[in-house]
Amino acid sequence: MADEKPAEEPKSAAADGDAKEDEDEKPVDPAVALLTELRTQIRHIQKAVSLKEHRYITRVLRSMASTRKKVKDGVVLRKVILQFLPEETARDRMVEYLPEAMDCGDDPAPEADDAEDKDQDSSSLAMREARPEIECYLHLLVLIILLDSKQFDKVVECANLLIEKVDVHNRRSLDAIGAKCYFYYARAYELTDQLHETRKVLLARLRTSTLQFDAEGQATVTNLLLRNLLHYKLYDQANKLVLKITFPSTAPNSESARFMYYCGVIKAVMLDYTEANNHLLQALQKSPQNTAVGFRQAVNKHSIVVQLLLGHIPDRALFRQKVLGLDSYFELTQAVREGDLNAFTTVVAKYHD
């Protein structure tokens, strides 16, 4: 009698589950993920324009920090610009600023969803309505790539073209993106040591933002002007600007914190230490507690000096925050507390630079 073959054991459910998990854990192509993210942002901008819900644009701008880290090479951004901007003049001027490495013909995201492409077709009604916002946002990403790659020979020209696009339109849905564009416009000029050339443009934009009741734009441009004047140590002009303007009460906390900081610096230079201390404390209260370390460090440095000039001794717990790097100011505070003039002179000479 022939030996019977043993029956094959059925696969267990656990094995099937493990196989399914292995498939789910398959790594996603970063280019595909970035392309999906950019398309999602464009869809949010479309919703903001069509539904008049500005919170969608706020969501896009909040995600810019994450997008900025992924879009550095510009390959995927080039694809998005060519897809969503039908006008050859507009898109060609933007694409020419991107790195030459992007001239490769490979499609970075062949797995893109065709249905999504159809919904976001450049000729659709939603796309036509939101085209100024989408074009300014994509141009802003191009400018950020140039800044991050330190292509300073191109950033000024690119920034000027971006501001021209923003100034052409008078749309409330463009206010938040326009404010961000002006911030990076000033940053481009600052990094190329031409910050003084932006003053006339910023003053004109401040007037326009005030007349159009653009609170975010008004707050952003006000801070840019104050930063500009303080950079060149024009404290008297900065003080006159603060006295003549009304800072919008509905401005974002980040802009309010910056404004309070600049006011504190101005008042300290004007020897009004009490007001300077109040402004600096408000700046610390409005600033993020877990991020913006550089900003909190700058505010605390000025606050410590102002408190010492008022005869107050800063809390020791402040100096225990190693992330702020206030060791030199701790030595200065100790010298003042002990009333040791020699130690004070030594600390000042040690950290003079």
Side-chain angles (χ1 to χ4, degrees):
M1 188 173 179
D3 294 338
E4 295 182 358
K5 294 182 179 180
E8 295 182 0
E9 296 182 0
K11 294 182 179 179
S12 63
D16 292 341
D18 292 342
K20 188 175 181 180
E21 287 181 4
D22 292 340
E23 293 178 1
D24 294 341
E25 293 177 0
K26 185 179 179 181
V28 180
D29 186 354
V32 176
L34 177 57
L35 182 57
T36 303
E37 182 177 337
L38 289 173
R39 285 173 171 164
T40 302
Q41 291 176 349
I42 290 175
R43 189 162 59 251
H44 285 325
I45 295 175
Q46 290 175 344
K47 287 182 180 179
V49 176
S50 60
L51 302 177
K52 294 182 172 55
E53 288 284 351
H54 295 170
R55 58 190 174 90
Y56 288 109
I57 288 183
T58 302
R59 187 182 305 176
V60 171
L61 295 178
R62 284 178 179 173
S63 64
M64 268 189 62
S66 173
T67 306
R68 181 175 186 172
K69 298 175 183 177
K70 305 172 187 175
V71 79
K72 286 185 177 180
D73 58 359
V75 176
V76 179
L77 182 59
R78 176 190 178 95
K79 175 181 174 63
V80 173
I81 290 172
L82 294 176
Q83 178 181 356
F84 294 110
L85 298 182
E87 294 87 355
E88 294 183 0
T89 304
R91 69 185 185 186
D92 290 349
R93 292 300 300 273
M94 293 167 62
V95 169
E96 70 181 11
Y97 291 113
L98 297 173
E100 295 179 0
M102 292 187 303
D103 291 338
C104 59
D106 298 335
D107 187 350
E111 304 174 17
D113 189 359
D114 293 336
E116 188 173 307
D117 289 345
K118 185 176 181 181
D119 292 339
Q120 293 184 312
D121 185 79
S122 60
S123 61
S124 67
L125 177 61
M127 277 297 301
R128 289 199 302 269
E129 290 179 347
R131 189 163 294 155
E133 289 79 6
I134 293 172
E135 184 175 344
C136 289
Y137 178 69
L138 293 177
H139 197 141
L140 176 61
L141 292 179
V142 173
L143 177 58
I144 289 174
I145 289 177
L146 295 179
L147 288 170
D148 290 343
S149 58
K150 298 183 180 180
Q151 300 183 49
F152 298 134
D153 56 326
K154 301 178 181 179
V155 291
V156 171
E157 183 183 2
C158 182
N160 289 334
L161 289 174
L162 175 58
I163 292 305
E164 288 177 8
K165 292 179 182 178
V166 173
D167 289 344
V168 166
H169 304 284
N170 178 15
R171 299 159 63 103
R172 300 286 68 77
S173 54
L174 191 58
D175 287 347
I177 297 176
K180 192 69 69 173
C181 291
Y182 266 92
F183 174 83
Y184 284 102
Y185 163 78
R187 183 62 177 162
Y189 272 86
E190 183 177 3
L191 291 177
T192 53
D193 295 326
Q194 305 175 59
L195 191 57
H196 62 282
E197 296 183 11
T198 65
R199 206 172 300 156
K200 183 178 179 180
V201 176
L202 293 177
L203 286 169
R205 183 63 183 182
L206 177 60
R207 181 174 60 252
T208 303
S209 299
T210 304
L211 294 174
Q212 295 177 352
F213 300 99
D214 175 11
E216 187 166 354
Q218 183 182 353
T220 301
V221 175
T222 298
N223 286 331
L224 291 175
L225 277 169
L226 290 175
R227 180 182 179 86
N228 190 313
L229 295 171
L230 294 179
H231 178 79
Y232 294 102
K233 299 182 180 180
L234 301 174
Y235 299 108
D236 187 53
Q237 293 185 29
N239 187 46
K240 290 179 180 178
L241 177 63
V242 171
L243 294 175
K244 289 184 177 181
I245 65 170
T246 301
F247 193 80
S249 58
T250 57
N253 267 354
S254 58
E255 297 301 334
S256 297
R258 290 190 184 98
F259 180 71
M260 290 299 168
Y261 167 65
Y262 293 138
C263 288
V265 174
I266 294 169
K267 293 298 182 183
V269 173
M270 297 294 175
L271 307 182
D272 190 351
Y273 300 129
T274 302
E275 282 297 316
N277 188 47
N278 292 335
H279 287 307
L280 293 172
L281 290 177
Q282 290 183 57
L284 286 173
Q285 291 172 358
K286 291 179 178 291
S287 64
Q289 299 305 310
N290 299 321
T291 56
V293 176
F295 177 76
R296 289 191 290 119
Q297 182 188 56
V299 177
N300 277 305
K301 286 180 178 179
H302 284 87
S303 179
I304 290 170
V305 173
V306 169
Q307 288 183 59
L308 292 176
L309 290 170
L310 287 171
H312 304 158
I313 301 299
D315 188 1
R316 183 180 287 265
L318 174 63
F319 301 104
R320 296 197 184 104
Q321 302 180 38
K322 296 300 181 182
V323 69
L324 296 179
L326 300 174
D327 294 341
S328 58
Y329 287 82
F330 178 63
E331 294 181 28
L332 184 68
T333 302
Q334 282 186 315
V336 173
R337 183 178 183 181
E338 296 172 0
D340 190 341
L341 183 58
N342 292 331
F344 177 84
T345 305
T346 302
V347 171
V348 172
K350 180 179 178 182
Y351 298 103
H352 178 68
D353 294 335

